[in-house]
Amino acid sequence: MSTLLWVAIAIQTVMGAFDTIWHHEGMERLAWRPSQAHELRLHGVRNMIYALLFGLIGWSEPHGVLAWALIALLLVELFITLWDFVEEDRTRHLPASERVTHTLLTLNYGVILAMLVPLLLGWAALPGAIVAAYHGAWSWLSALASTGVAISGLRDLVAAQRARLLVASDPAPLAGALFGRWSVLVTGGTGFIGRRLIAALTAAGHEVTVLTRERESAAHLPAPIRIVTSLDQIAQETRINAIINLAGEPISSGLWTLARRLRITRSRLATTRNVVAFAARLDHKPDVLINGSAIGWYGLQGDEPLDEGSDGRDCFSRRLCAAWEEVASAATDHGIRTVLLRIGLVLDGEGGMLARMLTPFEFGLGGRFGSGRHYMSWIHRDDLVRLIVHAMGRPDIAGPLNATAPAPVTNAAFATALGRALHRPAILPAPAWPLRLALGAFADELLLGGQRVMPQAALASGFRFVYPTIDDALGAIVGNQRSVRSARHITATLATGAA
């Protein structure tokens, strides 16, 4: 085999590894998206073909019928690649960098075929045999590539099989506690929480209006919904029973520069002022405004349990949430019941911090942050949706409402539980100093510090969590069959009022 052919194979291997790590694992998280089960099967089969190809040509020369079999495998790989292109375009929107990478992979693969197929045809004319061959460093690089793609292929095939357990349950029971037909305005409806909330409300037969800056971003939301890009598009005689305000620039993406802190603050306060002004001008005032806030209101605390009556400690998150809640509370001046929803770490495989942790933990590369002694107050996304609906329908709930599960855990316990759910060790800690060096105050407030928040108001109102413990939540999220079945049964039971 010529050096030029080996170089082309090496280029293909490097580009393929980049595509897998950067796009499939990093940007798209395909292994945890049930909608991509078919694409994962195609990737798995193709990678196993690559593993066999690299292993054979790196250390041998297949002659006769074996060479013909290898040519047939190359044709199968080409067919799978074309099929994969169709599947990707059908099921997801590819980032521009992924499209460019796929184009380069296709062109380079054509170069490989142009050089490799004539060589295989020559070997096919010889008597059938596998003749040992050694190509120096290229043989060892080929063995490394074969091992890597085999591991990736097996992982994709396992993930495809797991996908059936990751399919979100019927969202309608999440809104089962809301009687009658409600008209609901949702801001931030295209976000991680808003998508599931809207799915629950529409599935349960409620009328939903979504405020979004870009209409296209709401195109994937479940119908039927009304989409508006400005509150001015809603007439003042419109009857709206509830407003759920979840809008705001994400707090957990990017560095906390001064400019970004200002954007985070302004986005929340401006939207909330507009929402309150809108509610005030309606002829028929909404029954309730549920305004998203965060447990950052309490600031950085130790291990003391905190409820809605506890005080906070000064930090950026505390100042942001306090200002946000103050603006929202102005709705009470117009006779609107206002709920200040202090949301903890929201868990689900589709987004948020957990979605970014699944891949490293699945490969056994996870562990605690810093000392791991700080508390993480969390809530499963479905329980959060149910709590929002619960607060909508309960006139006695007003003011601060902690949206966290009743069993907060330390960061070390969280890492151990996630490793346990994935059947992987979780023993590789992320030291505090590089996190602080890279992220500054962001690291202390969101990764290395925390609060032990208790949902006292929710429990006192009779709300029942489907996922009260971290093992319940993580088990269902990663597709453990017993956890999935148990959670779906409890949700359905609560929705029918039988429990």
Side-chain angles (χ1 to χ4, degrees), residues 114-188:
M115 291 187 286
L116 184 58
V117 170
L119 182 63
L120 290 174
L121 288 174
W123 290 346
L126 301 174
I130 295 182
V131 179
Y134 180 64
H135 306 282
W138 293 117
S139 289
W140 292 106
L141 290 173
S142 182
L144 180 63
S146 177
T147 302
V149 294
I151 293 172
S152 179
L154 289 172
R155 191 286 182 100
D156 286 342
L157 292 173
V158 170
Q161 182 66 20
R162 177 183 62 199
R164 62 186 177 83
L165 294 173
L166 301 180
V167 177
S169 59
D170 178 13
L174 302 180
L178 203 59
F179 298 105
R181 179 178 171 84
W182 285 57
S183 175
V184 185
L185 169 65
V186 180
T187 74

Side-chain angles (χ1 to χ4, degrees), residues 19 39 55 62 66 131 178 230 240 264 288-289 293 322 328 343 349 468 483:
D19 189 38
E39 181 182 354
L66 294 175
V131 179
L178 203 59
S230 170
I240 293 178
I264 290 171
V288 60
L289 164 64
S293 182
I343 303 172
S483 298

Side-chain angles (χ1 to χ4, degrees), residues 64-84:
V65 67
L66 294 175
W68 284 112
L70 206 54
I71 292 172
L73 273 180
L74 291 173
L75 293 175
V76 170
E77 194 283 337
L78 183 61
F79 173 75
I80 289 175
T81 295
L82 295 175
W83 190 356
D84 185 38

Side-chain angles (χ1 to χ4, degrees), residues 31-32 155 158 162 166 349 354-367 414-426 470-471 473-480:
W32 293 98
R155 191 286 182 100
V158 170
R162 177 183 62 199
L166 301 180
L354 180 62
R356 295 190 290 271
M357 297 173 68
L358 286 173
T359 295
F361 270 78
E362 187 182 12
F363 282 97
L365 303 176
F414 180 90
T416 300
L418 182 53
R420 183 165 55 244
L422 293 169
H423 306 292
R424 300 289 191 275
I470 195 65
D471 287 323
L474 294 178
I477 289 169
V478 304
N480 292 347

Side-chain angles (χ1 to χ4, degrees), residues 64-114:
V65 67
L66 294 175
W68 284 112
L70 206 54
I71 292 172
L73 273 180
L74 291 173
L75 293 175
V76 170
E77 194 283 337
L78 183 61
F79 173 75
I80 289 175
T81 295
L82 295 175
W83 190 356
D84 185 38
F85 287 165
V86 174
E87 183 67 18
E88 289 170 340
D89 283 337
R90 186 182 68 84
T91 58
R92 63 186 177 97
H93 177 72
L94 272 66
S97 59
E98 187 173 3
R99 289 188 179 276
V100 171
T101 303
H102 287 182
T103 301
L104 294 175
L105 281 167
T106 303
L107 292 174
N108 194 66
Y109 188 63
V111 172
I112 292 173
L113 290 179

Side-chain angles (χ1 to χ4, degrees), residues 198-334:
I198 290 170
L201 292 173
T202 55
H206 302 290
E207 180 183 302
V208 178
T209 300
V210 180
L211 172 67
T212 179
R213 287 175 296 180
E214 299 179 1
R215 185 175 293 271
E216 294 76 14
S217 65
H220 64 284
L221 294 175
I225 58 173
R226 178 190 180 191
I227 301 173
V228 297
T229 56
S230 170
L231 292 173
D232 294 336
Q233 296 169 4
I234 303 176
Q236 70 178 45
E237 64 270 16
T238 303
R239 285 186 176 271
I240 293 178
N241 303 112
I243 300 176
I244 316 298
N245 180 30
L246 302 172
E249 183 170 337
I251 198 171
S252 60
S253 60
L255 296 177
W256 280 9
T257 61
L258 177 60
R260 187 156 189 281
R261 291 188 194 201
L262 289 173
R263 286 199 304 272
I264 290 171
T265 302
R266 288 170 179 168
S267 69
R268 282 160 173 73
L269 301 191
T271 300
T272 304
R273 286 193 187 98
N274 290 337
V275 165
V276 172
F278 163 76
R281 74 170 171 84
L282 291 176
D283 292 340
H284 307 279
K285 301 296 185 289
D287 297 322
V288 60
L289 164 64
I290 297 181
N291 194 78
S293 182
I295 59 173
W297 186 92
Y298 298 102
L300 298 177
Q301 304 269 8
D303 60 0
E304 179 184 355
L306 307 170
D307 61 25
E308 287 82 357
S310 301
D311 293 328
R313 293 182 180 176
D314 185 62
C315 64
F316 169 68
S317 299
R318 155 80 174 172
R319 294 190 297 272
L320 169 64
C321 293
W324 196 6
E325 292 186 6
E326 183 179 1
V327 172
S329 296
T332 60
D333 296 338
H334 306 286

Side-chain angles (χ1 to χ4, degrees), residues 1 5-7 9-10 13 47 49-60 70 116 133-150:
M1 291 178 59
L5 176 55
W6 279 118
V7 169
I9 291 174
T13 302
N47 283 340
I49 291 175
Y50 271 130
L52 180 60
L53 174 66
F54 291 152
L56 276 176
I57 66 174
W59 295 87
S60 69
L70 206 54
L116 184 58
Y134 180 64
H135 306 282
W138 293 117
S139 289
W140 292 106
L141 290 173
S142 182
L144 180 63
S146 177
T147 302
V149 294

